[in-house]
């Protein structure tokens, strides 16, 4: 099983923002850190904003930040809301299924149980748990510490 790039990028954006201590971040910075197309990330971030995981601030000094505390962002929820296709095999789609074993094969049931178990594990993990060592992540992504104004 392979998750979509869309979900992968969604998790990466959330991790970056969680390590940024609530400061506004420009999408370009995230794009540079992960070596991902800025155009792709714009679409991902816009979707994360619509889902309520990210907050966007417009304007010259605008950017994006998490809309919730990392401990309140559940990976299972993010996955279900960003993964475009949870159909592991053609038999998951009754409209396009051409398998002659439909109705007598138990492969679909096995895949459904496996997918459910996968998502149940994600349901037990928060974004905060992914960034237990934010300094190491910041260093690996070459995130520049923004000095706080006094």
């Amino acid at each position: 099983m392979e998750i979509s790039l869309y979900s992968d990028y969604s998790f990466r954006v959330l991790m970056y923002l969680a390590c940024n201590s609530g400061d506004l971040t420009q999408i370009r910075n995230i794009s540079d850190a992960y070596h991902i197309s800025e155009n792709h990330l714009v679409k991902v971030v816009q979707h994360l904003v619509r889902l309520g995981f990210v907050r966007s601030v417009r304007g010259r000094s605008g950017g994006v930040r998490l809309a919730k505390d990392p401990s309140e962002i559940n990976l299972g929820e993010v996955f279900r809301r960003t993964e475009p296709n949870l159909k592991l095999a053609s038999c998951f789609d009754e409209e396009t299924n051409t398998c002659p074993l439909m109705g007598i094969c138990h492969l679909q049931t096995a895949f459904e149980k496996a997918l459910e178990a996968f998502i149940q594990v994600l349901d037990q993990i928060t974004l905060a748990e992914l960034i237990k060592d934010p300094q190491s992540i910041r260093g690996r992504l070459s995130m520049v510490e923004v000095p706080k104004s006094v």
Side-chain angles (χ1 to χ4, degrees), residues 40-55:
H40 289 322
L41 283 185
V42 166
K43 294 173 189 173
V44 169
V45 169
Q46 287 173 341
H47 190 220
L48 292 171
V49 168
R50 283 192 305 276
L51 294 174
F53 296 118
V54 172
R55 182 169 293 129

Side-chain angles (χ1 to χ4, degrees), residues 11-137:
F11 287 124
R12 291 185 198 204
V13 166
L14 293 172
M15 289 175 64
Y16 187 102
L17 296 178
C19 288
N20 205 32
S21 308
D23 294 330
L24 285 173
T25 301
Q26 294 183 343
I27 295 172
R28 179 182 67 250
N29 297 83
I30 303 170
S31 169
D32 290 346
Y34 288 119
H35 308 288
I36 297 172
S37 161
E38 189 173 342
N39 290 334
H40 289 322
L41 283 185
V42 166
K43 294 173 189 173
V44 169
V45 169
Q46 287 173 341
H47 190 220
L48 292 171
V49 168
R50 283 192 305 276
L51 294 174
F53 296 118
V54 172
R55 182 169 293 129
S56 175
V57 176
R58 294 181 183 262
R60 210 173 82 153
S61 59
V64 293
R65 65 167 60 108
L66 288 181
K68 303 175 180 184
D69 187 83
S71 65
E72 297 173 5
I73 298 177
N74 177 277
L75 299 190
E77 180 183 2
V78 173
F79 180 74
R80 279 189 289 277
R81 297 180 75 189
T82 60
E83 188 62 29
N85 181 4
L86 293 177
K87 298 172 184 164
L88 298 182
S90 63
C91 58
F92 276 67
D93 190 342
E94 291 181 17
E95 292 179 18
T96 60
N97 180 27
T98 59
C99 180
L101 299 177
M102 187 66 176
I104 61 170
C105 173
H106 297 286
L107 183 61
Q108 181 179 3
T109 302
F111 281 160
E112 286 172 344
K113 287 180 181 179
L115 179 60
E116 185 178 309
F118 176 77
I119 294 175
Q120 282 179 355
V121 169
L122 292 179
D123 281 338
Q124 298 171 27
I125 304 170
T126 67
L127 179 58
E129 294 174 74
L130 293 184
I131 59 157
K132 288 181 181 176
D133 186 4
Q135 286 307 104
S136 292
I137 294 171

